[in-house]
Amino acid sequence: MKCFIIAMNSEAEPVISAMKIERSFTVCGKKIAVGKLYGERAAAVICGVGKVNAAIGAQIAVDELGAETIINIGVAGGLNDGVKVGKIYAISNAVQYDFDLAQINGTAVGTLDECETNYLPLSCADGYLLKKVATGDRFNDSKDDFKLLTEVLQADVRDMECAAIAQVCMHAKIKCYAFKIISDVAGSGSTTEQYKENLRVCLNTLRGGLEDVIKSVK
């Protein structure tokens, strides 16, 4: 089964509305819908915002739903002019930029204790431009974060869930795909105001491109 892990109700609405839902229930406070999406068995877990919520949602998908493939989808912030507001991109690699064991292990920022490199690889869908995402439990306009994200990690996109989901999938040994629709771009004004202004455009992009997403996932 393909299982979507989605942070917010607004991001999940295009997926839920397209599903032929067979059952809905809640596990650990996370709303779950199971049914068919464009003729394929599918489920959606609305996990909530942030890395811990995302990891819980992914683990529920593994343990309770028997997910064979996990798809993280949602809006995210752009970090350079290689991404455009309202466009959808596939994620090739993800890193947790607020995870740092450098003083203990001498490793690069984002390197998990069980890993040798900081970026985790994701499965890549055909037909999409590939970008790297940095995940952290922060939504801000911090100049220090921007420098870390762009100069040190060389990320294209930032979000609050993807790398945590990738970590769960790595240990569960299942495929992890991610697709991000850009709601704001750093350096183009307040990310909060951009997000509010562009959210509807991003959700329309997801609504119109969802069938292509599900068909691109192997």
Side-chain angles (χ1 to χ4, degrees), residues 4 71 73 88 128 179 209-217:
F4 287 85
I71 306 164
I73 198 162
I88 187 168
Y128 293 87
F179 299 85
L210 182 60
E211 186 172 5
D212 288 337
V213 165
I214 195 77
K215 288 182 177 179
S216 73
V217 172

Side-chain angles (χ1 to χ4, degrees), residues 109-126:
V109 170
T111 306
L112 303 173
D113 196 38
E114 64 268 36
C115 296
E116 296 182 358
T117 57
N118 57 358
Y119 269 100
L120 300 179
L122 278 71
S123 298
C124 297
D126 295 334

Side-chain angles (χ1 to χ4, degrees), residues 11-140:
E11 296 171 306
E13 191 279 329
V15 177
I16 297 298
S17 63
M19 286 181 67
K20 293 182 178 179
I21 298 175
E22 298 171 356
R23 60 190 178 110
S24 299
F25 55 101
T26 300
V27 175
C28 295
K30 312 303 181 190
K31 296 178 181 178
I32 301 169
V34 178
K36 288 189 176 180
L37 185 61
Y38 304 112
E40 296 190 45
R41 293 286 299 165
V45 179
I46 305 175
C47 65
V49 175
K51 295 197 303 179
V52 173
N53 278 325
I56 292 170
Q59 198 64 54
I60 288 171
V62 173
D63 293 339
E64 300 289 335
L65 304 176
E68 298 169 306
T69 299
I70 281 180
I71 306 164
N72 173 227
I73 198 162
V75 301
L79 295 169
N80 54 49
D81 59 9
V83 295
K84 305 298 181 185
V85 168
K87 301 297 183 183
I88 187 168
Y89 300 91
I91 301 301
S92 60
N93 300 81
V95 64
Q96 297 179 44
Y97 71 88
D98 57 357
F99 188 97
D100 188 356
L101 290 179
Q103 290 187 198
I104 298 175
N105 292 343
T107 49
V109 170
T111 306
L112 303 173
D113 196 38
E114 64 268 36
C115 296
E116 296 182 358
T117 57
N118 57 358
Y119 269 100
L120 300 179
L122 278 71
S123 298
C124 297
D126 295 334
Y128 293 87
L129 291 176
L130 299 177
K131 301 296 178 181
K132 295 190 296 182
V133 69
T135 298
D137 282 327
R138 296 197 286 271
F139 186 106
N140 60 31

Side-chain angles (χ1 to χ4, degrees), residues 170-182:
M170 174 184 70
H171 288 296
K173 295 181 172 57
I174 63 174
K175 291 182 178 181
C176 181
Y177 291 83
F179 299 85
K180 298 295 172 178
I181 306 100
I182 304 303

Side-chain angles (χ1 to χ4, degrees), residues 139-158:
F139 186 106
N140 60 31
D141 289 307
S142 165
K143 292 181 180 179
D144 288 338
D145 275 359
F146 180 72
K147 184 175 181 179
L148 169 63
L149 291 165
T150 57
E151 296 182 17
V152 178
L153 296 173
Q154 298 182 332
D156 304 296
V157 179
R158 69 183 293 183

